[in-house]
Amino acid sequence: MDIHALQEIVHKTRDERRKQTLPKYSPAERDTLIKKYHPDFRESAYRPIKFGPNKGESTVRELATLLEGESPVPADLDLTPAHAVDVLVIGGGGAGCAAALHAHAQGAEVLLATKLRLGDSNTVMAQGGIQIAITKEDSPIQHFLDTLKGGHMKNDHQLLKVMVEEGPSVAQWLLGLGVLFDRDSDGNLHVKKGGGSSKPRLLTCSDYTGLEIMRVLKDEVLNQKIQLMEFSAAVELLSDENGACTGAVLRDLDNKRFVVVAAKTVILATGGIGRLHIQGFPTSNHYGATGDGLALAYRMGAKLLQVDTFQYHPSGAVYPEQLIGALVTEGIRSEGGHLVNAKGERFVNELDTRDVVSSSIIRECEEGRGIRTMSGRIGVWLDTPLLEVEQGPGTLEKHFPAMVRQYKRYAIDISKDPVLIYPTLHYQNGGVQIDVNGESGVRQLFVAGETSGGLHGRNRLMGNSLLDLMVYGKRAGTTAAARAKSISQGKLTIQHVARFRAESRKHGVSDGIPSPMLFPAYSRKE
Ligand code: MEZ
């Protein structure tokens, strides 16, 4: 059936739905729902990791294969460094830029290397806001409790405490750098409520918050004249005789040559893994999100946490085909957008935590209440025109200009037509274990942002990622710079690669894929 004909039910049932009382799940029902429908619980998608620091732990097949993969660096690589710095930051997204800026502010000589262009990252994909407790009605303690509840109580308490407490100073720092957060008519910062939060605490820049933050950070990196290498992908780390990190091998993507960088400290901030398309899911992630940092840190011996849990954002686009997996911000549900099944019914509190909302969408689709597109994809409706009905014409254009444009390119007017959505792979909940200063289990190897793990537990709340990047980018940058002052450059070896290769052979992994992958499996090899 034509998409417009299918949409009719959303328009017809709108008035009735506005009066409908929503199903409220008890904790036990939420638990059962997640276990039955959330992709984290599909056993066949998982297998144990064969060797390394997380040996025996279960993770999705795509990640296990990546972690066990083969270093592209030859054993006899000439390790004469082309650059020698105090702090090497790997990754040009929010965490990498924050780390580089704070390390630079400490007087360290910093080199920021990034696989694509400065700013190409998942940071720009965080549309709907950054969570910071700044209002009188709110507090870092409340923020802590909400996050803990959202993470199924599996969050690292220390990391979380630091993040929520340092939130207000992050807001000050970003405002000082020139981030244009939305304001109320009295000039105060405007705050919105996100899923799973008890208080409105999202600072927003319409629906391009991450993009605006990235704009300012990028400018600042350039203004501070921090050494920058774009299109330079990290393909291996370097270690000294004691296993501490001493630099990295980059690959210049233009001429395919290896470039050796000696660094007293290294900060990995390579972001997420959406482009591994775990379990065949489409993703909201940027093109370079192939989990490079996880693979590099793992080979060096760093322990990973919660490798079995991923976030499937409830609202990824299903139609048109050009937008498959693209994010439709949670902000629309925060403003009152209903999720509607093929029968015209709401079926979940749209502001429940993402794992619950995604599980309930998958349930609707598996139980025959989903809407199928002509190409065979399935989803449920997000009633975007409802926002115009409730808050007046022009509401979407005012609050969600990026979303309006995303669909307008394909001749879809979201103020008139609802959009079809289904969960999209959005975030890796776990990652490299770090301490409160961002240091991993490997000396001199720091990790910040999505590559690190522990902070968000088994389910991240909206807007906490942007805050994580800023807080732990700062902590990693500051500590790495201070450390660099107190140590001398260690030896440059790839002994850990030899050890890893031997382990790999011992466990019969003969067909390891090149790791890190750098680009999605479907990328054009040239
Ligand atoms: O933190 C996020 O993932 C985020 C803000 C996403 C969104 O829906 O806009």
Side-chain angles (χ1 to χ4, degrees), residues 53-68:
N54 289 72
K55 181 177 172 189
E57 286 180 33
S58 185
T59 189
V60 283
R61 291 169 186 281
E62 297 84 350
L63 181 56
T65 310
L66 182 82
L67 296 177
E68 294 162 0

Side-chain angles (χ1 to χ4, degrees), residues 125-130 202 207 209 311 313 315 327-331 333 354 426-427 460-466:
M125 309 295 175
Q127 298 166 343
I130 176 168
L202 284 165
D207 57 347
T209 313
Q311 181 160 83
H313 190 293
S315 41
L327 193 65
V328 180
T329 177
E330 183 169 326
R333 282 177 283 124
R354 286 179 176 171
H426 187 57
Y427 193 79
R460 178 175 66 77
L461 293 189
M462 171 186 194
N464 268 349
S465 173
L466 286 178

Side-chain angles (χ1 to χ4, degrees), residues 345-358:
E345 302 157 336
R346 287 172 83 184
F347 49 87
V348 67
N349 172 355
E350 288 84 358
L351 282 190
D352 209 320
T353 50
R354 286 179 176 171
D355 49 359
V356 170
V357 179
S358 288

Side-chain angles (χ1 to χ4, degrees), residues 131-133 139-141 143-145 147-148 155-171 434-439 454-456 464 466-476 478-479:
Q131 284 224 37
I132 301 183
S139 66
I141 294 175
H143 188 180
F144 181 95
L145 293 174
T147 305
L148 199 57
N155 319 54
D156 178 311
H157 289 201
Q158 273 310 108
L159 293 181
L160 179 53
K161 178 172 178 291
V162 165
M163 181 184 82
V164 297
E165 285 179 352
E166 294 191 1
S169 68
V170 162
I434 54 165
D435 65 15
V436 287
N437 292 316
E439 192 163 7
L455 172 56
H456 302 288
N464 268 349
L466 286 178
L467 182 56
D468 170 7
L469 307 181
M470 295 305 114
V471 170
Y472 285 98
K474 173 180 177 177
R475 288 190 153 243
T478 310
T479 316

